[in-house]
Amino acid sequence: MAAMPRETVPIDLARRYEHIRPTPRLPDFAAWVDGVDLTRPLPDPVRAELRRALADFEVLFFRPQVLTPAQHVALAEVFGPISGGSFFDRHESVPEMEMIVTDRERPPSIDQWHTDLTWQARPPMGTVIQITETPPHGGNTCWLSTSKAFEALSPGMQAYLEGLTATHTWEVSGFRDALGRRGDEALINAIRHYKPVSHPVVLVHPDSGRRCLYVNDSFTKHIDGIDRRESQAMLAFLSSWIRRPEFTVQHEWQPHGLAVWDNRSTQHYANADYWPHRRVNRRVTFDVPGTERPHANVNSTVLRGSPLRD
């Protein structure tokens, strides 16, 4: 028998928002944002409400707008300084922008629930993506709320998980094979620069105060300080638990649509049901405000600027 559902108290949109129009797709999660022209410089009150909306709803969706790479980067900078990103290829003239292009020769490979870059000691705060080319069918992206997933756990399970930490590493993900195809130097550089790190299993969101489950299938290797079998069983349970439909939204893309998500309170999954059709994802990640901007991006540190794929 399922537990009694918790009562939800919706955010008072009229009281909290004057300059943008957020419309949540689930209770207090995953909101459409209207009334914002992202091709123009954003006034300070709009920027402040966008940051507030990201804390309130964890994922924001914008209807199609054709942005230049510089405008895309400027949108990310509304939320925080640009981060070093991941191992993906870079835009030829804007290195802050990662280019995830899939087609017949480059099949989609991010079809696994994950939180971005938890294998870093200081993972990015969030991400802005724009899908500039969409396949004729499919290619949706799913997000889930790890704060909703934690809140729905029993008090006993919540108490058990709080205080635990888990080890995260890119070496248990598909990045190891991708880097290996680039040769020993790329793999050794990654091992040298990005060693396993530990993060809390339950992360307290600094802006919303919500508690969020902070483990994922792609990068979490084990829970620290407990028996290996207990760790495996608990990670398997949490992996299954967070995928409940009540915590998830599936987004159908239109060309030049945008999404912004908070990396601390969500996971996402890129559907891989459209191969061999082409899909182009422009992606910029950003850090917590006040973070010093990195001197080099991850791609240049590990791959010396060469493409990730053969």
Side-chain angles (χ1 to χ4, degrees):
M1 178 181 297
M4 285 291 293
R6 290 173 169 82
E7 182 177 357
T8 60
V9 180
I11 291 170
D12 188 338
L13 300 178
R15 186 182 295 271
R16 285 181 67 78
Y17 295 98
E18 298 180 17
H19 305 283
I20 67 173
R21 299 193 304 275
T23 305
R25 299 168 68 171
L26 292 177
D28 297 343
F29 178 57
W32 284 107
V33 175
D34 294 301
V36 182
D37 184 350
L38 300 175
T39 67
R40 297 178 178 274
L42 299 177
D44 287 343
V46 171
R47 297 163 70 93
E49 288 196 359
L50 287 174
R51 291 190 290 269
R52 179 182 303 162
L54 187 62
D56 282 348
F57 303 110
E58 303 178 337
V59 188
L60 307 178
F61 300 101
F62 297 87
R63 302 181 201 279
Q65 302 184 44
V66 179
L67 302 187
T68 66
Q71 289 168 338
H72 188 144
V73 172
L75 174 59
E77 289 177 327
V78 167
F79 302 96
I82 305 304
S83 79
S86 189
F87 297 120
F88 295 115
D89 301 341
R90 301 291 166 142
H91 188 281
E92 58 184 6
S93 59
V94 183
E96 298 93 341
M97 175 175 285
E98 296 173 289
M99 300 294 298
I100 306 175
V101 180
T102 48
D103 52 25
R104 179 174 291 278
E105 289 70 36
R106 296 168 290 188
S109 60
I110 319 177
D111 50 336
Q112 188 173 28
W113 285 108
H114 64 285
T115 299
D116 284 340
L117 306 172
T118 61
W119 45 267
Q120 295 185 359
R122 191 185 62 202
M125 172 183 162
T127 303
V128 181
I129 65 172
Q130 181 171 50
I131 308 301
T132 57
E133 295 183 45
T134 58
H137 305 286
N140 295 355
T141 304
C142 307
W143 280 268
L144 62 82
S145 169
T146 59
S147 66
K148 284 182 173 292
F150 179 80
E151 184 181 7
L153 289 169
S154 68
M157 180 61 76
Q158 292 177 346
Y160 167 77
L161 294 173
E162 291 193 277
L164 293 175
T165 62
T167 293
H168 298 244
T169 174
W170 58 269
E171 294 186 65
V172 296
S173 73
F175 279 132
R176 185 177 182 90
D177 290 339
L179 290 170
R181 288 193 293 271
R182 296 301 305 162
D184 291 345
E185 182 180 4
L187 193 57
I188 291 169
N189 283 339
I191 293 171
R192 180 183 299 118
H193 286 95
Y194 299 105
K195 300 183 184 304
V197 297
S198 288
H199 297 297
V201 170
V202 180
L203 182 151
V204 180
H205 195 286
D207 299 321
S208 69
R210 297 168 181 154
R211 284 169 164 73
C212 310
L213 292 172
Y214 202 64
V215 294
N216 66 90
D217 288 352
S218 291
F219 303 125
T220 306
K221 185 177 182 181
H222 60 257
I223 296 175
D224 304 326
I226 63 175
D227 185 86
R228 172 179 55 84
R229 291 159 294 190
E230 182 181 351
S231 169
Q232 291 172 340
M234 185 53 57
L235 290 175
F237 164 72
L238 293 174
S239 175
S240 173
W241 176 261
I242 62 174
R243 303 180 198 192
R244 287 175 52 182
E246 294 91 338
F247 313 145
T248 64
V249 65
Q250 182 163 175
H251 181 65
E252 181 177 354
W253 291 101
Q254 293 179 288
H256 299 283
L258 295 107
V260 184
W261 68 87
D262 192 316
N263 204 43
R264 300 165 295 185
S265 55
T266 63
Q267 293 188 25
H268 56 283
Y269 181 110
N271 291 2
D273 55 355
Y274 57 91
W275 185 81
H277 299 288
R278 181 176 170 87
R279 182 178 187 266
V280 177
N281 176 358
R282 293 182 170 187
R283 166 178 135 148
V284 179
T285 55
F286 54 88
D287 283 325
V288 174
T291 303
E292 183 178 349
R293 188 163 178 168
H295 296 295
N297 64 55
V298 169
N299 177 282
S300 63
T301 299
V302 172
L303 301 174
R304 308 298 188 224
S306 64
L308 175 62
R309 300 182 179 93
D310 292 325

